[in-house]
Amino acid sequence: MKLTSVLIAAAMATLSNGALAEEKILNLYSARHYQTDEALYTAFSQQTGIKINRIEGKEDELLERIKNEGANSPADIFLTVDAARLAKAHELGLFSPLTSKTLEARIPSHLRTEDWFSFSTRARVIVYNKSAVKSEDIQNYADLANPKLKGKVCSRSGSHPYNLSLMASVIAHQGEAKAEELARGMVSNFARAPKGGDTDQIKAVAAGECGVALANTYYVARLLRSTKPEEIKLMEKVGVIWPNQSTTGSHINVSGGGMLKTAPHKEAAVKFLEYLVSDQAQRYFADGNNEWPVVENLKVANPALESLGTFKADKLPVKNLAMYQAKAQIILDRAGFK
Ligand code: FE
């Protein structure tokens, strides 16, 4: 072999090795920090030989980081919670549109967009103190504005994505005027100024500081699964309502993600997204945070979720939730829902 061909052969070997090595790595930016996620990622690496480099951070920080890294970002996948945050990544043009028969077949159409996909769902429910409030009075989100509940409503911040997404769903279904009515009514029913997270609201309801509050189901389920005697006692005082059962269904939010436009390992990224809708991954994904899988008719063994029973979920496309985020914030601000 002539020297030049040896060099070319060597160069080609290096190139193909390089390309191969490239496909065996996945850089995952994740705002999920649940213990069972470890098993989720390990199983993927075992099945595919693709090593996952995980960068974890707070939702908004990760988004900021990807934005700042720009075209040089090593990120292949961005995973986070809440439709509002996923929509923000979309609006910033960070996600790459992708068509995948697997994702289309496994994820119901209202839970996906052309560039980001939901992998688990959670509902926003009404929790109430059983000795302070009658369940008949709080069957719908709109009931939280009823003057009957004066001084009894507690909430986390109005600018938190969970409340923004709920308000966005009200705008989508009933229009801005109704949304504003709800926001104003809730504000005039507040037991205290908004503070804390969903778990704090549930605890305040149990303690009788508030009569009612909104909470995502996984916070309720987490407390229901608690083995701490004080939390078991706490939850005996709390009732849970699936709102809007005779109308639109309970508001659903999601955790999800997508492949980034600048992803250096696109093939691995698609493989990973498709893996996330496998039965095995869906179980890890949902059980890790007491959520529901997006894949229909998949059985999850989670006693806390089972104890909450079945319910009618709002089928509003996640895309629409995202569409009304900005409007929702304006309305909540105007209503003084801080
Ligand atoms: Fe949360």
Side-chain angles (χ1 to χ4, degrees), residues 135-325:
S135 65
E136 310 90 85
D137 291 338
I138 36 167
Q139 292 298 306
N140 302 294
Y141 294 114
D143 295 333
L144 296 173
N146 190 324
K148 261 190 185 176
L149 296 179
K150 191 135 202 107
K152 291 194 171 144
V153 175
C154 282
S155 180
R156 77 189 298 164
S157 162
S159 50
H160 192 276
Y162 300 160
N163 283 337
L164 287 175
S165 287
L166 170 63
M167 212 38 96
S169 78
V170 178
I171 299 173
H173 286 304
Q174 298 177 281
E176 290 179 38
K178 283 279 174 208
E180 186 147 357
E181 212 176 288
L182 171 58
R184 287 190 185 280
M186 281 182 76
V187 170
S188 64
N189 283 342
F190 277 162
R192 60 178 191 193
K195 64 170 181 183
D198 285 6
T199 301
D200 300 308
Q201 313 310 318
I202 303 170
K203 288 184 173 173
V205 161
E209 192 184 344
C210 337
V212 282
L214 289 163
N216 282 356
T217 35
Y218 55 87
Y219 295 110
V220 179
R222 198 180 295 163
L223 282 170
L224 285 173
R225 288 180 92 167
S226 172
T227 49
K228 289 184 195 154
E230 68 271 22
E231 290 184 340
I232 293 171
K233 245 183 137 178
L234 213 91
M235 291 313 279
E236 284 167 3
K237 301 203 161 57
V238 176
V240 180
I241 303 265
W242 296 111
N244 293 27
Q245 291 304 283
S246 57
T247 56
T248 51
S250 298
H251 165 66
I252 291 297
N253 208 327
V254 299
S255 82
M259 175 172 80
L260 297 156
K261 215 171 248 172
T262 50
H265 315 98
K266 290 206 162 61
E267 207 175 303
V270 173
K271 257 190 202 152
F272 180 71
L273 292 175
E274 291 179 342
Y275 161 77
L276 289 184
V277 294
S278 66
D279 284 1
Q280 180 194 24
Q282 279 284 289
R283 284 198 184 97
Y284 279 134
F285 214 93
D287 268 347
N289 190 33
N290 298 307
E291 293 178 82
W292 290 283
V294 289
V295 170
E296 283 168 331
N297 304 318
L298 184 77
K299 194 95 185 82
V300 187
N302 184 323
L305 286 183
E306 267 160 38
S307 78
L308 289 175
T310 52
F311 67 103
K312 177 181 162 188
D314 190 348
K315 290 262 167 71
L316 186 76
V318 283
K319 227 180 175 167
N320 296 23
L321 277 185
M323 202 160 82
Y324 292 112
Q325 292 294 321

Side-chain angles (χ1 to χ4, degrees), residues 39-59:
L40 175 79
Y41 303 136
T42 307
F44 173 74
S45 294
Q46 277 167 355
Q47 283 168 28
T48 60
I50 297 169
K51 185 179 170 275
I52 297 181
N53 296 319
R54 202 173 356 146
I55 309 269
E56 290 197 340
K58 282 210 181 279
E59 299 85 358

